[in-house]
Amino acid sequence: MVGDSSGNATHPVGTKQPNDWGLYDMHGNVWEWVSDWSGNYSAEIVTNPSGAVTGSVRVLRGGSWNIPARYARSAFRYYDTPGIRVADLGFRLLRE
């Protein structure tokens, strides 16, 4: 489980090692909401695909501290209703 290295809790940003691109905490801290609604992707090969335009559940990515490590990756999609509130779910702010 991811919890094996996390102590089964979230950690302050930047306290774990960064990935090869210098980005911290990309996987395994908390699930992150993304802008996609849950649905099938296009069958065409595309860069940065978008999910469904509308729906009832939103996509979550990145895994969290309380799931098996094999799911702690951006390619794994989970989903839930937008109003849910749980301890291992958050979002990432981006500043350009």
Side-chain angles (χ1 to χ4, degrees):
M1 296 213 28
V2 171
D4 294 344
S5 68
S6 71
N8 290 315
T10 60
H11 287 76
V13 173
T15 57
K16 299 288 186 173
Q17 294 295 313
N19 65 15
D20 292 341
W21 298 276
L23 300 173
Y24 289 86
D25 308 309
M26 293 302 296
H27 304 103
N29 202 23
V30 295
W31 286 103
E32 294 182 13
W33 288 113
V34 298
S35 61
D36 296 349
W37 290 99
S38 182
N40 294 328
Y41 283 128
S42 169
E44 299 174 26
I45 296 174
V46 295
T47 300
N48 194 18
S50 296
V53 178
T54 63
S56 60
V57 291
R58 288 267 188 193
V59 174
L60 308 171
R61 291 191 183 266
S64 78
W65 50 267
N66 69 348
I67 64 162
R70 68 181 176 269
Y71 300 122
R73 57 194 190 98
S74 58
F76 182 74
R77 297 184 339 150
Y78 190 63
Y79 55 87
D80 219 320
T81 55
I84 187 121
R85 302 290 186 265
V86 293
D88 64 341
L89 175 59
F91 60 94
R92 183 177 297 269
L93 298 176
L94 173 69
R95 184 176 81 178
E96 295 188 65

